[in-house]
Amino acid sequence: MKFSIKNFLKNFTESPRAGRNLVILLVGSLGLGIFCAWLVADIATKREQGRNAFFRVTEITEESHDPAIWGQNFPYQFASYKKTADMNRTRFGGSEAMPRTPTSADPRSIVSQSKLEEDPRLVSMWAGYAFSKDFREERGHAYMLEDQIYTERQKVGQPGTCSNCHASVYPVYKKLGDGDIMKGFHKLNAMPYSEAKEHLKHPVACIDCHVPADMSLRVTRPAFIEGMKRFKASKGIKNYDVNTMASRKEMRSYVCGQCHVEYYFKGKEKTLTYPWDNGQRADDIYAYYQKIGFADWTHAKTKAKVLKAQHPEFEMYSQGLHARSGVACADCHMPYERQGNIKVTNHHVKSPYNDVQASCGGCHPIPANELKARIDIIQDNTAQMRNIAFDALIALIKDIEVASDKKSAASLEKAKAFQREAQFLFDFVEAENSMGFHAPQEAMRVLGLSIDASRKGQVSLR
Ligand code: HEC
Ligand code: HEC
Ligand code: HEC
Ligand code: HEC
Ligand code: HEC
């Protein structure tokens, strides 16, 4: 007999067991109904918990500057934020705790290792500049303020501009500018650091990245707001405003891009400026510095007017496949973690290397040792090419030194121009802290351009 609904119902109701069948059906439907109702209610509570994953223990406002106050409402985020004080070395990143004897001038009992000792070629590259005196591996956010206050690079008398990226300055801008952050920013830049530091209380804090009312992300650094406006204008987008026009995904990188970028101090007001008018690649930025004729210092051995590149993580990352695919800084450096029913963002911002399962595993479901190997291959290749480019640059610097009293002024000028270019491009990859990982092909391209400029400089002296 063919199956049909009609036959089935007939059998069901007319069979000798019709009564029992009916009871089973009723009880079954009731059970299913209760289960469905529970499921819907449970999903709703979980969603509510996810959205509102905290108890409002205390009211948080624009006046809540201390992260500990925010921590009362957001204990998970606060606990992981405090872990930025941990120090862990990786092959090319992280940081190692080096004990030191505190002095009255510098009370730190632990610092991170010196990069100058790791590679003395850095001292030759930066001859005549404060970086050749003290330059260390960077460490967690918890140290940003003390490391800036006590670095030997302060001995040359730095401007207040330095503090923009090393402290919770959003409240300081507001205080100095009577509520106007742009006004406060200019006031802070124009102060000597010794005066500015009296206003600094915390390393970067919750209020620098979050709107207190709804915890959404915000950009609080005028230099980034202005830099992005000029960068977008170069791409034909007028009056770009990060805080109203960026997507949530973009904000998950922009909050980091406020500080992890190349910068310079503009004019006698020492305005913090991001050099993105021509674009964000190393050679675009070099072209910008060529146009405005900017130099950080005069090289002590060759007298070339040279530039110092600084931590261009945001610019380098932006050239890579992850950025293209919409993967943000926070995806790898602040991965989600489960806390009971809810997903929270890990605020222990650190190297992903020792935690690849959490940082990469969600998108690349492969074993941890294979994930590490993928990082290793990229970093080893970049390190090899970095070494070759560095040797080429040091060879050029030596050649210019030797030639300085033998060659014509014109020929020396030409060689010095090549040094300026080769050195900036090399330093762009050197100062970028991922050893090529953020954009492997781009790092190789820039190192290739640097080697080319160094060798052309040497040839120009023949
Ligand atoms: C796809 C994952 C990924 C993304 C996206 C990413 N990073 Fe990284 N980042 C890494 C890896 C891997 C390293 C290398 C870590 C190491 O060598 O220990 C690294 C290294 C770093 C370092 C040096 C860390 C250290 O301990 O030395 C900094 C700083 C950094 N990234 C900042 C950023 C910023 C800012 C962004 C966004 C503009 C970003 N990263 C985007 C994976 C990522
Ligand atoms: C645009 C933001 C920005 C500004 C402005 C800035 N820094 Fe930093 N600084 C960073 C970032 C990001 C790091 C971590 C990455 C690194 O070390 O490469 C850092 C690291 C450091 C470190 C620790 C590593 C090291 O280099 O020894 C010191 C010290 C430091 N900065 C001092 C200064 C001083 C002094 C000034 C002013 C001349 C300054 N910073 C201005 C963003 C900034
Ligand atoms: C207010 C400026 C500022 C912001 C915003 C900022 N950083 Fe940093 N970051 C720094 C400075 C300065 C250091 C170095 C501190 C030191 O060495 O004392 C640093 C260090 C780091 C390190 C090295 C940590 C370690 O343990 O070695 C990583 C990784 C990093 N930042 C990634 C990020 C990411 C990702 C974001 C965005 C979610 C971000 N940073 C936002 C200024 C900033
Ligand atoms: C350098 C920037 C930065 C700082 C400083 C920072 N956060 Fe966050 N926070 C983020 C990012 C990025 C996210 C992810 C937001 C998103 O995806 O929309 C986030 C998400 C959150 C969320 C939403 C829930 C979650 O876990 O995803 C809370 C709550 C939060 N942070 C609390 C805090 C508290 C409390 C502090 C200070 C102790 C703090 N944050 C400091 C960048 C920051
Ligand atoms: C949010 C998702 C996401 C996260 C997190 C993520 N990736 Fe990726 N990754 C991607 C996507 C998407 C691509 C591009 C794939 C494509 O288009 O073929 C990619 C490409 C890559 C590539 C090849 C491209 C390149 O840049 O060399 C490597 C290697 C890689 N990922 C390693 C990692 C590692 C290691 C981590 C953790 C530190 C990580 N990824 C974290 C999504 C992610």
Side-chain angles (χ1 to χ4, degrees), residues 279-340:
Q280 291 178 333
R281 297 181 311 169
D283 31 346
D284 298 334
I285 293 175
Y286 183 68
Y288 171 86
Y289 285 136
Q290 285 300 87
K291 191 167 158 223
I292 64 165
F294 181 80
D296 281 300
W297 87 105
T298 302
H299 196 273
K301 290 182 180 150
T302 65
K303 308 292 175 237
K305 300 250 181 266
V306 279
L307 298 157
K308 169 80 187 78
Q310 347 246 354
H311 35 72
E313 278 87 59
F314 176 67
E315 295 93 328
M316 190 65 100
Y317 145 90
S318 298
Q319 313 311 319
L321 189 52
H322 278 114
R324 268 252 150 196
S325 314
V327 183
C329 315
D331 286 312
C332 297
H333 290 280
M334 303 179 74
Y336 288 114
E337 56 180 21
R338 271 212 167 270
Q339 293 285 355

Side-chain angles (χ1 to χ4, degrees), residues 90-94 137-138 253 256-257 260 313-314 317 322 327-329 332-333 350-353 375 379 433-434 437-438:
T90 63
R91 292 176 71 237
F92 291 102
E137 187 67 54
E138 84 281 13
S253 290
C256 317
H260 286 267
E313 278 87 59
F314 176 67
Y317 145 90
H322 278 114
V327 183
C329 315
C332 297
H333 290 280
K350 61 171 189 300
S351 160
Y353 192 81
I375 301 174
Q379 292 190 324
N433 285 293
S434 73
F437 181 81
H438 289 146

Side-chain angles (χ1 to χ4, degrees), residues 76-77 80 83 334-340 342-347 355 358:
Y76 297 131
Q77 289 83 359
S80 53
K83 283 197 197 147
M334 303 179 74
Y336 288 114
E337 56 180 21
R338 271 212 167 270
Q339 293 285 355
I342 54 170
K343 258 191 346 178
V344 293
T345 298
N346 186 340
H347 281 62
D355 210 2

